[in-house]
Amino acid sequence: MQYFPMFVDLKGKSVLVIGGGEVACRKVDTLVRAGAIVTIISPAIEDFLQTLVSQGECHWVKNFYSQEMMDSRYIQVWATTDNPQLNHQVHSDAKKFGILVNVVDDQPYCDFITPSIVNRGRIQIAISSGGASPVLVRNIRQQLEYTLPQNLALQAEFGASKRRDIKEKLPSVELRRKFWEDFFELPQVELAESRQQLEACYQSLLDSNVVDEGLVTWIEYGDDFELLSLKALRLMQKAELVLYPGQCPFVFIDSVRRDAERIEFNNEGNLSDQLKIAANKKLRVVVFITAKSAKYNLLIGKSLKLSLA
């Protein structure tokens, strides 16, 4: 992983942009939307930027950049001009102040890069190839735009509004997490067009008495990760504990829920002990086993087993 992904709170923070052309327009627009206090340094700027300046959305220093204009109050600097020598000078000046700097389309001079973003209100999905393939990233973003529910912003706002209420109704963190997992999987939630429809789903699910109970899912693995069913992938994202043999390919283990505990088992006895501990803790468990394996049948019993196609 070349870059560490994170979202930065820029609200009320000073950001410097050198350049006033088309590239600067895209960067400044995003920065202003994020609530940053943007200063543009350029002898001339595009009409779009001029409109933002006129509306008080950002500040324009109508001049050529010089070293004296760099200041430690800026937490980010963007060099967007078509003059590589000037951009590199901006980079050098920013580094003297310990400021993170991005020279657009010049990766060796970037402390950070900006991902392609799918934006649904409170929901933001960032995609990056580390600068290796912008076209591939754009294609991935388009696929996500087509497949993600259009009401994600509505769902997110509803979830945020219920944080206090759900704490009063469900006392434990685990119960609340399982409730929201079940809630957001409801077909009616994905199709909801109003807050009233989401409220009806919310109350109905609460009335059904959410139970804090465990679940064991056995998933067969093979050489091809893409043979896993959508149901298997969904249950992997709900797992709190993952049990796997040493020969299980890493891609399967790495694709489960990020905060799930991962434990390797050596034999049936060791696996049985781990399952008993998980049952006492009422955990949701995923167990990876080799395809068409019969030696775990006694342990599997009546629990859910998902086979490869």
Side-chain angles (χ1 to χ4, degrees), residues 210-238:
V210 181
V211 179
D212 187 10
E213 58 183 13
L215 173 70
V216 179
T217 303
W218 299 76
I219 299 178
E220 293 184 346
Y221 67 84
D223 296 326
D224 190 349
F225 177 79
E226 292 184 356
L227 288 178
L228 283 180
S229 66
L230 290 176
K231 184 172 185 178
L233 291 169
R234 177 171 57 82
L235 290 168
M236 286 162 61
Q237 291 306 309
K238 285 187 173 185

Side-chain angles (χ1 to χ4, degrees), residues 68-131:
E68 296 75 25
M69 295 175 173
M70 191 62 64
D71 193 294
S72 60
R73 75 176 183 275
Y74 299 117
I75 70 164
Q76 272 185 7
V77 172
W78 296 79
T80 70
T81 79
D82 56 5
N83 183 339
Q85 185 176 355
L86 174 58
N87 287 342
H88 294 170
Q89 180 62 48
V90 171
H91 177 271
S92 176
D93 295 342
K95 298 307 292 179
K96 291 175 184 177
F97 284 93
I99 304 171
L100 295 175
V101 58
N102 178 292
V103 177
V104 176
D105 293 331
D106 198 348
Q107 192 173 349
Y109 290 87
C110 292
D111 293 318
F112 63 93
I113 58 175
T114 53
S116 182
I117 298 174
V118 178
N119 201 329
R120 296 282 198 279
R122 287 176 179 260
I123 302 299
Q124 292 179 303
I125 301 173
I127 312 151
S128 173
S129 65

